[in-house]
Amino acid sequence: MAEGPRGPGDALWEALLALLPPMREELKLDVGEKVDRGAALLVQQAVELFLGGRQAECLQASEAMLDYTWEKLNAGPWQAVDRAWRQVYALGCLLKTLCLCQPPREATAVAAALRVCDMGLLMGAAILGDVLVRVAAVLQAHLVAEKRPDRSPRRELPSTKRARYDHISAPDVQLERAVPRLHRPSLQHFRKHFLLPGRPVVLEGVADHWPCMRKWSVEYVREIAGCRTVPVEVGSRYTDEDWSQTLMTVSEFISKYIESEAGDVGYLAQHQLFDQIPELKGDISIPDYCCLGSGEEEEITINAWFGPPGTVSPLHQDPQQNFLAQVMGRKYIRLYSPQDSEALYPHETNLLHNTSQVDVENPNLEKFPKFAEAPFMSCILAPGEILFIPVKHWHYVRALDLSFSVSFWWS
Amino acid sequence: MAEERPGAWFGFGFCGFGQDPGSGREHQVLSPEPLRAGGDICHVSASWSYTALVTRGGRVELSGSASGAADGCRDAWASEGLLVLLRDRSGSRAELQAWPPGSGLRGEPLWAQDPEAEEGDEPGAEGRTGLLPLLPGSRAYVSLQPPLRRALAPELRARRLELGIEHALLLDAAGQVFSWGGGRHGQLGHGTLEAEPEPRPLEALQGLPMSQLAAGGWHSVCVSETGDIYIWGWNESGQLALPTRSLAEGKRTDTGEDEGLNEDGSKVERAAEAPAPFIAIQPFPALLDLPLGSEAVGVSCGSRHTAVVTRTGELYTWGWVPRSPVGTTG
């Protein structure tokens, strides 16, 4: 199928081909009614070019698919984007990935292909049995095998960097009303006293034996996920004017925002890392208490939150129940009841109506006088602990250390 | 005089889109080439995968992923989902028709309507071309989402109407610009990211009469009667000719300094440099200067790029250039 010499059985190429459907015509996705005729034609043409071994032209066609569908993905709110467009985008990523990896390939081709794959996972929708996840795993394995075996081991962070950690002050939570703590409450007890009345609680002894608690470190994360592309939030908090989101590999994120003394704060926040890298999913578990909800287990959204000390999530509320499991480092968390929403001065705009205008640890009481009297609970969440944040409960989070949390949004 | 269209749009020659009619070539158009049609071209409407050409004789010809031709046509507006035509009917009436691009203009249109132009509003076919999606009489316009025909308040006295992916722009008889629709990327120009349900005048431009108007995917441009360009909206690809993030980051690393640690673990000295400013969104109009102080007379937008023609006949384009080469000229 490929043109030209392929070299002595290119293992990567063989592994990729093995992931494709045996009936290659299946690559011509049935895009349905929602996709424009011109775009549907392009899908047909691009697949035909691939099947015909016309790699350079297929590359152009798949890039054209990505460029056009990118516009559809950016038109209007994300929830309104038709799944069909995201599937076409994913197919474009798959074809481009294959074209880049087809021998003879450039030295940087596989890393570039993995970035494309990750874009397909981030912005696309599952196609061909979620083939992109498996393609990414094959590419990642190839890249890891390629790395020099004598790579010098990373050392402890030099003492000069410790100073940064010292600046982070932990609030004296003894002076504040504490979130109650329970050791492995029964399902019934949790449901009756916390889930139904919507009261926060710290669960101890539930997550402390998850593999992640003993396995995870910055080095481990870099090893497992280093070459994968993830979204990163840059800026102190998302309510700031100079806050932005960008994409980079996990390695780049670690060296730029965890290991170096960058001026900016970078936060790998609210990212479904465990869908992207299934290997990591084996290190965590879904808390049993989630079965008290009405949704299916597949519908639970699991997010990773990985960042340096000092990351802040401004006071806000979410539309689902949340279990926040702490894996590395500690977080200071404050909770306000939805009953007191008025004293929290939510933004008026559509975009930020679930976010308070008040800077919790440095409130402008002249502008927001009622905030001073708003009752709250707080805790310092440590590794192995899970905080239950009831639906719509306002929460503010500040990392006191280098931190990795895993959140479970369920209904 | 035939209107020459520069090749500043996609040439998907490899999959037979070939929007350049008559050339029969498979490859992209790399530099401006004259278009050919059966008659003097007076209007061109380009969609992504096909183009509609309208001749002075009233013939519309399609090329690219869609083909076909029809007579008695005053105006055409091409989009991926629909081709909208203004066809002559008996007397001085016209009929608004919507065709699927794949129909080859054979059979019946998807729908047809009387555009409800008022008597005396239309002096004739002359001068009417190129105003779609604005309908004759300026009481309504065509939209790509239902309802397909939308009313405009008569007091707006719309002269020109342009549609972006999520917003709409209107230029009235006095040269005032109005905008409405989605505003997430600042494309409405009112200084916020909020949507506007109804046409709202741009306060920043009040008292500055505009003569030209164009809407990109998520940005907006207008040209004043004195040739100044005002631009606002999303700048993710530099379509506003303002510094973009990637350019700013390029400047930072241009010093040749690496961040983080060297291979042997020693710390690299980083140049203490403020990050180069970049503008991702411009939520209200900014004045744009062309090189040599040129005056603009025409403006047009793609979804992520902008093009301007000056009084002295130069074409400037900026914004996103796809990886496939595109015939932009400086």
Side-chain angles (χ1 to χ4, degrees):
Chain A
M1 182 177 74
E3 292 178 332
R6 283 162 50 195
D10 185 275
L12 173 65
W13 185 240
E14 298 298 330
L16 290 175
L17 290 180
L19 295 175
L20 299 179
M23 299 296 293
R24 295 285 160 83
E25 289 288 307
E26 279 177 45
L27 286 169
K28 290 186 190 175
L29 297 180
D30 177 13
V31 293
E33 300 285 307
K34 297 284 186 173
V35 170
D36 304 329
R37 183 176 158 274
L41 273 175
L42 186 53
V43 167
Q44 302 280 311
Q45 306 256 2
V47 174
E48 273 166 25
L49 287 167
F50 174 71
L51 297 177
R54 291 156 71 179
Q55 174 203 3
E57 290 163 274
C58 178
L59 187 60
Q60 281 185 326
S62 57
E63 285 180 341
M65 275 170 72
L66 295 178
D67 294 337
Y68 187 66
T69 50
W70 184 93
E71 294 184 11
K72 298 298 180 184
L73 267 46
N74 276 277
W78 183 245
Q79 296 84 339
V81 175
D82 200 278
R83 189 179 179 78
W85 284 116
R86 295 176 57 199
Q87 288 176 320
V88 174
Y89 184 84
L91 180 64
C93 289
L94 175 66
L95 291 174
K96 181 170 176 180
T97 295
L98 291 168
C99 289
L100 288 173
C101 292
Q102 186 163 358
R105 57 177 172 264
E106 313 264 342
T108 52
V110 181
L114 184 54
R115 278 196 298 276
V116 172
C117 235
D118 275 334
M119 288 307 297
L121 288 170
L122 272 167
M123 306 248 288
I127 54 167
L128 303 169
D130 215 358
V131 67
L132 280 178
V133 170
R134 292 192 294 283
V135 170
V138 165
L139 297 176
Q140 185 172 352
H142 180 93
L143 281 173
V144 167
E146 266 184 352
K147 279 193 187 138
R148 293 172 307 157
D150 59 0
R151 190 167 64 96
S152 44
R154 301 277 166 169
R155 317 138 348 280
E156 286 284 321
L157 296 166
S159 52
T160 45
K161 299 222 160 83
R162 297 254 167 73
R164 187 193 193 179
Y165 291 54
D166 294 338
H167 288 152
I168 305 300
S169 55
D172 187 353
V173 293
Q174 307 272 20
L175 304 174
E176 302 174 349
R177 195 161 128 245
V179 177
R181 291 170 164 266
L182 285 184
H183 183 88
R184 299 180 63 82
S186 70
L187 291 177
Q188 293 87 332
H189 185 94
F190 170 76
R191 182 168 179 272
K192 180 174 174 192
H193 295 278
F194 299 99
L195 178 57
L196 290 180
R199 296 211 183 97
V201 60
V202 173
L203 302 170
E204 295 173 349
V206 175
D208 56 339
H209 285 108
W210 292 358
C212 59
M213 301 303 171
R214 55 178 163 76
K215 280 171 81 176
W216 288 7
S217 63
V218 173
E219 203 37 53
Y220 178 85
V221 172
R222 196 204 318 259
E223 223 180 274
I224 299 285
C227 48
R228 305 300 300 268
T229 301
V230 292
V232 171
E233 301 181 357
V234 181
S236 305
R237 54 200 76 200
Y238 67 78
T239 40
D240 282 350
E241 255 186 23
D242 54 1
W243 180 89
S244 63
Q245 289 176 296
T246 186
L247 295 165
M248 63 184 70
T249 64
V250 170
S251 287
E252 285 165 9
F253 169 71
I254 290 175
S255 58
K256 196 166 173 178
Y257 295 106
I258 304 270
E259 286 177 341
S260 89
E261 277 169 37
D264 288 329
V265 170
Y267 195 10
L268 203 181
Q270 196 172 323
H271 176 56
Q272 294 180 52
L273 190 65
F274 308 94
D275 288 342
Q276 185 185 14
I277 308 174
E279 183 181 349
L280 277 176
K281 207 162 180 181
D283 292 341
I284 60 173
S285 295
I286 298 191
D288 290 337
Y289 305 93
C290 290
C291 75
L292 296 169
S294 49
E296 299 289 329
E297 192 172 289
E298 300 85 56
E299 291 164 3
I300 298 177
T301 304
I302 308 176
N303 277 313
W305 307 77
F306 178 39
T311 60
V312 169
S313 292
L315 188 64
H316 69 285
Q317 54 178 191
D318 296 314
Q320 287 190 283
Q321 315 282 5
N322 185 358
F323 283 127
L324 181 64
Q326 194 61 16
V327 181
M328 284 164 53
R330 301 162 303 149
K331 275 183 163 157
Y332 170 64
I333 303 170
R334 247 203 232 183
L335 298 156
Y336 291 80
S337 164
Q339 292 176 331
D340 301 312
S341 296
E342 213 186 285
L344 307 179
Y345 302 89
H347 285 266
E348 314 252 317
T349 64
N350 267 330
L351 210 55
L352 291 174
H353 72 277
N354 69 336
T355 304
S356 162
Q357 297 180 66
V358 187
D359 183 355
V360 166
E361 290 187 276
N362 188 20
N364 181 340
L365 293 174
E366 276 182 32
K367 206 169 163 196
F368 309 116
K370 290 191 263 192
F371 183 74
E373 301 307 314
F376 66 87
M377 288 180 177
S378 71
C379 66
I380 292 182
L381 197 67
E385 300 175 347
I386 297 181
L387 171 65
F388 168 59
I389 303 176
V391 58
K392 292 291 195 178
H393 229 83
W394 295 88
H395 47 289
Y396 164 89
V397 184
R398 176 162 67 90
L400 302 177
D401 308 311
L402 182 153
S403 164
F404 202 129
S405 318
V406 180
S407 65
F408 300 82
W409 288 344
W410 57 287
S411 296
Chain B
M1 186 168 75
E3 186 177 302
E4 292 211 0
R5 172 96 172 143
W9 25 284
F10 292 102
F12 290 112
F14 55 81
C15 50
F17 279 177
Q19 288 94 334
D20 186 6
S23 67
R25 291 184 305 142
E26 292 266 330
H27 302 292
Q28 289 126 10
V29 180
L30 292 177
S31 57
E33 283 207 2
L35 300 174
R36 283 174 293 278
D40 281 354
I41 301 169
C42 66
H43 177 60
V44 175
S45 179
S47 183
W48 172 65
S49 70
Y50 75 100
T51 313
L53 303 174
V54 181
T55 70
R56 247 168 235 294
R59 186 170 172 77
V60 64
E61 291 182 9
L62 306 180
S63 74
S65 74
S67 59
D71 289 311
C73 191
R74 296 187 194 178
D75 201 357
W77 187 54
S79 75
E80 289 304 297
L82 273 185
L83 169 67
V84 178
L85 299 179
L86 204 57
R87 302 286 293 279
D88 288 323
R89 281 294 166 263
S90 53
S92 62
R93 310 286 301 169
E95 183 178 68
L96 188 65
Q97 297 180 342
W99 293 81
S103 63
L105 293 177
R106 286 185 295 274
E108 292 301 310
L110 276 178
W111 54 261
Q113 265 186 31
D114 187 331
E116 291 175 36
E118 296 202 347
E119 289 293 333
D121 272 2
E122 295 300 309
E126 215 69 39
R128 182 55 191 77
T129 318
L131 288 185
L132 281 177
L134 187 60
L135 291 174
S138 300
R139 297 286 198 271
Y141 65 100
V142 185
S143 166
L144 291 172
Q145 289 95 32
L148 295 175
R149 188 179 179 285
R150 300 185 182 202
L152 283 171
E155 51 270 21
L156 285 173
R157 297 176 305 144
R159 192 205 309 173
R160 177 137 199 113
L161 188 141
E162 289 266 317
L163 298 181
I165 289 177
E166 296 172 47
H167 73 300
L169 300 173
L170 184 152
L171 183 64
D172 77 1
Q176 172 69 43
V177 176
F178 295 74
S179 69
W180 69 101
R184 298 180 310 135
H185 296 292
Q187 64 266 54
L188 297 181
H190 301 301
T192 73
L193 303 181
E194 298 292 306
E196 290 285 339
E198 296 295 323
R200 178 179 161 189
L202 262 72
E203 283 161 21
L205 299 179
Q206 251 158 3
L208 289 169
M210 298 295 148
S211 64
Q212 303 282 332
L213 185 68
W218 298 275
H219 69 294
S220 312
V221 197
C222 60
V223 175
S224 72
E225 285 170 0
T226 50
D228 292 324
I229 305 168
Y230 295 85
I231 195 160
W232 62 97
W234 205 9
N235 190 43
E236 49 78 31
S237 294
Q239 57 266 57
L240 307 190
L242 298 170
T244 58
R245 183 206 302 282
S246 48
L247 284 180
E249 280 177 354
K251 281 192 184 118
R252 259 181 116 163
T253 54
D254 262 355
T255 57
E257 310 278 345
D258 248 298
E259 296 182 346
L261 303 169
N262 280 330
E263 287 285 90
D264 63 68
S266 60
K267 205 171 81 146
V268 173
E269 290 307 304
R270 271 207 309 143
E273 198 182 294
F278 64 88
I279 296 176
I281 285 179
Q282 175 67 28
F284 45 82
L287 177 61
L288 192 67
D289 287 321
L290 287 179
L292 310 173
S294 308
E295 281 176 27
V297 294
V299 64
S300 176
C301 296
S303 53
R304 296 161 75 184
H305 73 278
T306 312
V308 150
V309 175
T310 69
R311 190 173 298 285
T312 46
E314 282 115 20
L315 172 70
Y316 289 88
T317 64
W318 59 91
W320 174 72
V321 176
R323 278 155 290 264
S324 320
V326 152
T328 55
T329 58

